[in-house]
């Protein structure tokens, strides 16, 4: 709290928001009866493994909260297998492809992750996630298993692709497909869970393209922000089709003399993500339930705020650039309805327009993309 307040010292409205948020947060968080040991452990895992989603998931209405929590933990488990480079591909491929069946195996656990894998403990105690999964309504189970099947097979296809392992993601089309597997499918699954619960209309489950783009917008923003972190562990998610226009090796952007190229390539990446913003607003405009609305909107506004902060920001190549806690909290407090969220999107599109300059090769396209966010009037 002290560091967050200090970081916002020149942003008084954020100080107010930080203090307001601190008091609001101490109001009811759902109590789980002490005999439900597995469920308690699942929520502990949720809070341990997710900085960005734990809070919004726990604020969901009762009808949907546990299903979304288990959906998250199942996919986090799958991702913990995907991310682990110490598991040989012969072992990894069947683990990923069969994961949708594994979640029905009472008592299954996995202790073969590398010792440094950040969420290894989740799989070591995965029997508790399975227990809770098996306690969900059959309809929820089917949605979760279907998404785990598609995601696991998509991850396995990439994990055994030789070009992907050598160079990373190749084309823009590849980039969209990879992001579809790891994040777009989450959006599609969530829409099905919302409809199944009865909290949203059945039609929402049919909006698979808009749901997919909700995930793409979040995942692409993370991939842009995490350039350095990923490069240091030799993971390359920026599509080769984009960066080869500027350099021969993705790591060259870090070298002295490449600053202009680096910032221009960053603009191309940000433009690519920003093009999804209008459709994300269109999706959120369809949400009726208040708790689901906040759950969807908070990650989205953080993403557009992050894109605005990253734009023209050469620091991306030398450190991890993140929005201040005070700014995050201010956004969370504002995310109450579609009009506010549309205003926040417009605000950040203006921040981007102000940083845009005519010497940027993407100047025109960025102006157009921001213009589309600005002009979108909801209802
Ligand atoms: C509305 C609300 C939330 C949404 C949404 C729509 C649409 C999509 C998403 C959330 C998913 C966004 C993913 C962006 C963060 N990326 C990652 O976590 C990467 O892993 C991807 C594979 C596992 C996905 C697990 C997940 C994430 C968020 C959820 C969820 C499941 C279920 C419900 C709600 C939110 C990233 O992981 C980094 C890490 O290991 O920490 C990676 O490996 O690329
Ligand atoms: Mg991953």
């Amino acid at each position: 709290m002290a560091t967050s307040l200090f970081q916002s010292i020149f942003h008084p409205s954020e100080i107010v928001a930080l203090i307001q948020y601190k008091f609001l947060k101490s109001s009811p968080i759902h109590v789980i009866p002490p005999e439900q040991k597995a469920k308690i452990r699942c929520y502990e895992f949720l809070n341990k493994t997710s900085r960005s989603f734990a809070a919004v998931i726990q604020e969901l209405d009762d009808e949907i909260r546990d299903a979304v929590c288990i959906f998250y933990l199942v996919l986090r488990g799958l991702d913990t297998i995907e991310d682990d480079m110490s598991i040989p591909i012969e072992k990894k491929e069947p683990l990923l492809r069969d994961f949708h069946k594994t979640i029905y195996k009472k008592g299954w656990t996995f202790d073969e992750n590398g010792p440094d894998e950040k969420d290894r403990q989740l799989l070591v105690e995965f029997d508790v996630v399975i227990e809770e999964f098996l306690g969900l309504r059959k309809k929820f189970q089917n949605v979760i298993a279907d998404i785990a099947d598609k995601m696991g097979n998509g991850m396995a296809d990439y994990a055994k692709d030789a070009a992907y392992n050598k160079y990373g993601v190749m084309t823009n089309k590849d980039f969209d497909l990879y992001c579809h597997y790891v994040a777009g499918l989450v959006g599609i699954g969530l829409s099905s869970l919302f409809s199944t619960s009865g909290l949203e209309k059945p039609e929402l489950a049919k909006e698979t393209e808009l749901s997919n783009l909700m995930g793409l917008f979040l995942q692409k923003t993370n991939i842009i922000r995490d350039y350095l972190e990923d490069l240091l562990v030799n993971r390359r998610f920026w599509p080769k089709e984009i960066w080869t226009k500027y350099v021969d090796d993705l790591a060259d952007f870090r070298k002295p003399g490449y600053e202009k190229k680096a910032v221009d390539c960053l603009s191309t990446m940000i433009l690519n993500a920003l093009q999804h913003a209008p459709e994300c607003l269109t999706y959120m405009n369809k949400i009726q339930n208040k708790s689901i609305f906040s759950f969807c909107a908070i990650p989205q506004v953080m993403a557009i705020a992050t894109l605005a902060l990253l734009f023209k920001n050469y620091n991306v190549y030398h450190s991890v650039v993140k929005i201040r806690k005070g700014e995050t909290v201010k956004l969370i407090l504002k995310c109450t309805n579609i009009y506010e969220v549309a205003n926040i999107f417009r605000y950040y599109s203006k921040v981007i327009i102000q940083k845009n300059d005519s010497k940027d090769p993407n100047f025109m396209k960025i102006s157009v993309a921001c213009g589309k966010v600005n002009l979108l009037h909801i209802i």
Side-chain angles (χ1 to χ4, degrees), residues 79 82-83 155 178 235:
D79 187 51
E82 188 214 20
D83 289 354
M155 285 172 163
Y178 180 77
R235 293 179 146 260

Side-chain angles (χ1 to χ4, degrees), residues 11 277 352:
H11 306 268
I352 294 173

Side-chain angles (χ1 to χ4, degrees), residues 46 49-53 56-57 60 67-80 82-83 117-119 151 155 178-179 181-188 190-191 193-194 210-220 222-223 225-226 229-230 235 237 283-284 292-300:
L46 173 67
T49 59
S50 175
R51 274 164 295 130
S52 1
F53 297 104
V56 284
I57 291 175
L60 282 167
V68 175
C69 174
I70 300 307
F71 185 41
Y72 173 82
L73 293 174
V74 163
L75 300 182
R76 181 55 62 218
L78 189 58
D79 187 51
T80 301
E82 188 214 20
D83 289 354
E117 202 52 44
K118 72 174 170 59
D119 298 325
M151 190 182 290
M155 285 172 163
Y178 180 77
C179 293
Y181 287 138
V182 302
L185 284 170
V186 178
I188 293 170
L190 285 168
S191 294
L193 294 177
F194 301 158
L210 292 178
S211 306
N212 181 50
L213 294 176
M214 289 282 286
L216 261 57
F217 189 62
L218 301 179
Q219 184 68 13
K220 286 180 176 184
N222 282 2
I223 285 175
R225 185 198 58 199
D226 297 341
E229 216 176 85
D230 289 332
R235 293 179 146 260
F237 296 114
Y283 177 90
M284 290 184 278
I292 294 180
F293 183 81
S294 304
F295 165 76
C296 291
I298 291 169
Q300 295 286 323

Side-chain angles (χ1 to χ4, degrees), residues 170 239-250 253 265:
M170 301 298 283
K240 197 163 187 274
E241 185 179 341
I242 290 183
W243 58 259
T244 46
K245 294 197 186 105
Y246 307 91
V247 284
D248 298 323
D249 186 81
L250 186 59
F253 289 133
C265 184

